[in-house]
Amino acid sequence: MSGRNVTVVGLQWGDEGKGKIVDALAGHMRYVVRFCGGANAGHTVLVGEEKFALHLIPCGVLRQGVCNIVGNGVAFDPATAWGELSALRDRGVTVTSENFRVSSAASVVMPWHKLQDTLSEASLAKGKKIGTTARGIGPCYSDKANRTTSIRAADLTNPEVLAEKIRSIVDIKNRTFSALYEAEPMDAEAIVAEYVQLGENLADMICNTGGLLRQAVADDVPILFEGGQGSMLDVDHGTYPFVTSSNVTACGVPSGAGIPPSEVGRVVGLIKAYSTRVGEGPFPTEQDNETGNAIREAGHEYGTTTGRPRRCGWFDAFAVKYAVDLSGADELALSLLDVLTDMGELKICTGYSTDGQAHEMFDPAAMSGVQCDYETLPGWDCDITGCKTFEELPAEAQNYVNRVEELLQTPVGFVSVGPERSQTIVHNSKTEGLDK
Ligand code: IMP
């Protein structure tokens, strides 16, 4: 196993605070690589007073000397990427082909994918909707698997090939959307004009990133793999069909980045101190009540990408242990502990039962209608946002973290008590190179 690489993945339903920890670890990395998802992600990093919400560009972009890669496993939206890149440049952040590269094998999100995402969701009955981010993610990955209706980033660098593909795919999509949704036809030439321009803007950043990364492996250069979403949203291992469309656990790194499995490195699993979920699907520890509202307001739990209010609930150790095992997490980073201040007694779910029968094994397909077995822990009411060491935390907060660690049988390496770089407590970590 590689000792220098690190993989950061979310162990819940996304929004665990991956941006902050990726930024903190990125200072010692040569590459930061996205391997799954697309612009459905929203990673927030606070640098001093400045807040950055990144969707497609990896969080290492805010560090000097880091090359940021969008891997082949990403659904790459060139319009969003160009908008994000331009906005970063406007704020004085350097983004060039020196520090930002896109895999030529990444599947491209096109306007018809976003349209289909919206039309398909609107056509589904309540209870069947997925509650997607409407970023065209599912339709883009469907076309990737379909092959003949997909555009890859390499095509963006060849205007003739791109124009020909757009014309033929728009013809198919127009006929399909008209028949299925009575949609107005798309104008192929307008799309050709826009995407040829985007291709020109981005051409020098599109390359064989898998080759670059395998060379980095040979040269013993450190790489950080930045996960998107969270394990319970994994297309194979999550709460299907209420999931995203890519492999978001550490298992997705080798294929989504183009490196051998042995190079995934140390796996840091991100957990927030409670649970949230955006979109539809089972969520046994959800608190659709005053407690959930209090968590939402204290944690500002509104989507970074869509602004939707997040569903909030207690920490689910039964589900997270499954995610720990799936990714082989070596250690955990626990975020947003400060949000639980002043919540009174705290609950942690340790298992599920159905009709009084305890579930022996966690199964994401058996989460609907379960009863949660809860443990109750004492809360704390003093401000913890200024705590610099684990020992400075009140005994109840230490006890909460220790119990999470015990239930998950995995050390908590980092505890985050606020959004700023300095508000990270290094606890039982063996991961090197955290910058504050
Ligand atoms: P999609 O990825 O837009 O297709 O959305 C599928 C499901 O994943 C929906 O429930 C979304 O709310 C959820 N989802 C996708 N990306 C994220 C994320 O980055 N954070 C949290 N939820 C996400």
Side-chain angles (χ1 to χ4, degrees), residues 13-15 18 40-43 117 130-139 228-230 233 242-245 277-280 305 308 310:
W13 280 278
D15 311 313
K18 293 178 287 292
N40 49 353
H43 293 174
D117 206 348
I130 292 167
T132 73
T133 59
R135 297 297 185 269
I137 303 298
Q229 294 77 51
L233 292 171
F242 303 103
V243 294
T244 190
S245 304
R277 174 164 203 169
V278 226
E280 306 304 317
T305 302
R308 289 180 289 178
R310 296 179 184 140

Side-chain angles (χ1 to χ4, degrees), residues 147-323:
R147 294 152 295 168
T148 52
T149 46
S150 182
I151 290 178
R152 288 179 133 195
D155 300 326
L156 293 170
T157 65
N158 186 329
E160 283 83 45
V161 169
L162 181 63
E164 196 250 301
K165 284 198 176 181
I166 291 176
R167 289 186 188 112
S168 82
I169 298 172
V170 165
D171 178 49
I172 295 169
K173 298 291 176 186
N174 275 345
R175 283 187 283 139
T176 313
F177 297 171
S178 159
L180 289 178
Y181 311 114
E182 295 175 6
E184 291 295 317
M186 291 172 286
D187 176 355
E189 294 316 312
I191 299 175
V192 168
E194 185 185 352
Y195 281 75
V196 164
Q197 183 60 56
L198 284 167
E200 202 176 295
N201 298 347
L202 293 162
D204 65 338
M205 299 168 193
I206 297 171
C207 67
N208 174 7
T209 58
L212 268 185
L213 292 173
R214 290 187 294 279
Q215 187 57 50
V217 165
D219 295 343
D220 217 13
V221 160
I223 310 171
L224 189 153
F225 299 99
E226 175 182 357
Q229 294 77 51
S231 305
M232 304 306 293
L233 292 171
D234 186 274
V235 66
D236 285 295
H237 305 291
T239 56
Y240 196 89
F242 303 103
V243 294
T244 190
S245 304
S246 62
N247 287 117
V248 305
T249 73
C251 312
V253 171
S255 61
I259 52 113
S262 53
E263 296 303 323
V264 165
R266 192 166 175 79
V267 177
V268 177
L270 253 290
I271 47 176
K272 62 168 81 172
Y274 45 93
S275 306
T276 61
R277 174 164 203 169
V278 226
E280 306 304 317
F283 181 6
T285 63
E286 179 169 17
Q287 298 299 302
D288 192 8
N289 52 31
E290 280 308 304
T291 302
N293 294 342
I295 294 175
R296 184 176 310 106
E297 292 318 310
H300 312 292
E301 291 293 356
Y302 295 86
T304 317
T305 302
T306 58
R308 289 180 289 178
R310 296 179 184 140
R311 299 157 65 190
C312 298
W314 297 121
F315 187 79
D316 187 341
F318 192 47
V320 174
K321 178 68 172 76
Y322 162 78

